[in-house]
Amino acid sequence: MAKENYIIGIDISDGKDESVLTVGRLNGANMAIINYFRGKEAEWMYERLTNQKVGVIRDEHT
């Protein structure tokens, strides 16, 4: 099985616009966006991946 690396980006709208979560596949120094989620689906996906509610920031270093 091949090793694959992914990077996830999130832009939470905070009620001003539509939230977007993007999924990119890393191949060496190259990245290609392979999928994205918008609105409530993006926020749900963020919460599932991070175990953190949208709008709540945890600082693991304090």
Side-chain angles (χ1 to χ4, degrees):
M1 183 173 188
K3 178 181 173 183
E4 293 186 0
N5 295 299
Y6 295 89
I7 188 163
I8 306 297
I10 186 79
D11 182 2
I12 302 294
S13 71
D14 199 25
K16 298 176 185 136
D17 205 355
E18 190 171 53
S19 298
V20 177
L21 182 137
T22 56
V23 180
R25 180 182 293 132
L26 296 174
N27 183 6
N30 299 319
M31 182 179 78
I33 302 300
I34 60 168
N35 206 349
Y36 68 95
F37 303 89
R38 296 172 24 185
K40 294 292 181 192
E41 187 177 24
E43 294 174 4
W44 177 84
M45 185 71 65
Y46 172 82
E47 291 175 357
R48 295 283 298 168
L49 291 169
T50 65
N51 289 320
Q52 180 172 292
K53 285 292 212 184
V54 169
V56 177
I57 298 173
R58 286 189 296 205
D59 187 350
E60 303 289 336
H61 302 290
T62 59

